[in-house]
Amino acid sequence: MKTKTKLLLPLLFFAALLLVPALTLYGLVKSPSGWSVEENRALADVPEVSLQSMLDGTLVQNLETFYSDHIFARRQLLKLDTLLQMKLLRRPIVHDVVLGDTVLLPAPGFSMKLSGEAREAQAVSIAEGLQSVKSAADEVGAQLLYTLVPEQRTVYAAYYPDWMENPASETKKNRDALLSALQKCGIPALDMTDIFAALEDPLPYYSRVDHHYTLRGAYLTYETVCEAFGLRASKLTIADTESELLGTYNRKLYGLSSVREAMQVLQDAFLDYTREDNGKASATPLIQIRASGQSLYTDYMGGDIGETIVRTNRPGLPKILIVGDSFTNALEPLAVVDFDEMRSLDYRHFDGAALSDYIRAYRPDYVLILRDDVSCLNRTGNGAIS
């Protein structure tokens, strides 16, 4: 009996070695491409075969990537690995996510960690570049406001373990440098950090599973921006839904964390409007409402889009231009309520006119630039909009 058992394990192992490649090849014949929700990326396509790729070795590399992306039961294997790291090994960080019972946070470390001199130089460069935007706004009689919002890791800095590097000091250096430079260059600025810090309970206002604010957080930002513009935001009702938000961090953990969050939506109905995305008529809803299942942050405005124009045919109301990245997505539908026309630009995807020229051509009444304190000193995309 013992002999049979000893033989069974090696046989099973070798059977797996044969079966997994066979099943993988079968799967590749049926479905050679796809998207990984958890990794938020496209899986590798079938590599092109050429003489050059064979000679320089890239064909072998691409084939290896392609095979690893489509190995049989890949998602199940990765989910099992995640489960083992979380439950068996009890690691505090899994897939660059700091585990917690209340919130999930990004692992410490910045993609662009600057020295003191480099930080100051970057901030001055951004502020000086915005002077041309300010000049364009002044020419057309528009009010300009640069608004800085804290990223999720800043709001929930207290949730990082004491022994772990805390990113709060880094984001504060970013904010201080940029706000100082903006002031010296005469750029009107609003810092939302202290407003969120003063909340008795920030949990309804910032996501526990994603790096963005919630719709309530976007609304608080919108109200404060309107007040800075000398306007009064409409009173809107925001409610939790039965749909769970699939954010950046619970997605990376394959939904195995106990931290859960309900998607927030507006209860108020939108007035009639027309919408264009990148110059074409669009039927994408301002907020995608799902009765159950899972929702995504991209359900706000359909995600990141180069240029969006929403018109409500109320010429007695002002026009607003909102510029930024994904943080503007949850704020844009709120602005549709109070403005005749809402335009948004995301210069990571918009390759049209520079912002100063766009303002001169469009002639909005208000211009809002919205950035977060992690990416605000980045000089690419929305950091190079002048």
Side-chain angles (χ1 to χ4, degrees), residues 49 70 284 295:
V49 179
H70 297 279
T284 302
S295 296

Side-chain angles (χ1 to χ4, degrees), residues 187-374:
I187 309 297
L190 167 66
D191 182 13
M192 289 294 299
T193 308
D194 289 341
I195 294 174
F196 281 108
L199 293 172
E200 185 175 342
D201 180 12
L203 290 174
Y205 297 88
Y206 261 78
S207 176
R208 288 172 285 165
V209 297
D210 194 81
H211 62 285
H212 297 101
Y213 43 33
T214 64
L215 190 60
R216 288 186 176 92
Y219 182 50
L220 177 57
T221 303
Y222 175 66
E223 283 185 307
T224 310
V225 164
C226 285
E227 185 178 345
F229 278 142
L231 305 171
R232 179 175 292 181
S234 293
K235 292 298 178 184
L236 301 173
T237 305
I238 297 172
D240 292 345
T241 69
E242 295 297 320
S243 181
E244 180 186 344
L245 176 65
L246 182 61
T248 301
Y249 306 129
N250 59 352
R251 185 190 69 225
K252 285 185 175 183
L253 298 175
Y254 291 83
L256 295 172
S257 169
S258 60
V259 180
R260 294 287 185 268
E261 180 178 331
M263 179 70 169
Q264 297 178 7
V265 299
L266 277 182
Q267 285 192 318
D268 309 83
F270 289 106
L271 298 173
D272 290 340
Y273 64 87
T274 60
R275 173 174 178 167
E276 294 178 16
D277 290 337
N278 299 323
K280 297 181 180 180
S282 172
T284 302
L286 304 183
I287 299 179
Q288 176 70 52
I289 300 177
R290 304 176 194 272
S292 60
Q294 290 181 322
S295 296
L296 302 169
Y297 182 79
T298 53
D299 286 349
Y300 298 124
M301 295 300 294
D304 302 334
I305 298 170
E307 179 191 41
T308 292
I309 303 173
V310 180
R311 299 184 176 96
T312 63
N313 194 30
R314 295 174 294 169
L317 295 179
K319 301 185 295 183
I320 188 170
L321 173 62
I322 301 173
V323 185
D325 53 25
S326 56
F327 267 89
T328 73
N329 296 352
L331 189 142
E332 292 167 27
L334 308 175
V336 170
V337 177
D338 291 314
F339 291 86
D340 172 47
E341 187 172 304
M342 187 285 301
R343 292 196 183 197
S344 68
L345 296 176
D346 185 338
Y347 275 89
R348 297 170 303 168
H349 308 286
F350 180 67
D351 58 0
L355 182 55
S356 53
D357 293 332
Y358 193 99
I359 290 171
R360 290 187 180 94
Y362 174 41
R363 306 182 69 84
D365 299 292
Y366 300 93
V367 178
L368 169 64
I369 300 174
L370 185 70
R371 300 287 280 155
D372 71 88
D373 58 6
V374 170

Side-chain angles (χ1 to χ4, degrees), residues 132 138 140 237 278:
S132 63
D138 290 343
V140 302
T237 305
N278 299 323

Side-chain angles (χ1 to χ4, degrees), residues 145-174:
L145 183 64
Y146 189 106
T147 298
L148 195 60
V149 296
E151 207 238 27
Q152 187 236 26
R153 73 189 75 183
T154 303
V155 174
Y156 294 136
Y159 284 88
Y160 280 96
D162 294 339
W163 54 267
M164 191 178 290
E165 178 188 5
N166 198 305
S169 61
E170 196 71 19
T171 54
K172 185 179 188 304
K173 291 175 185 176
N174 287 353

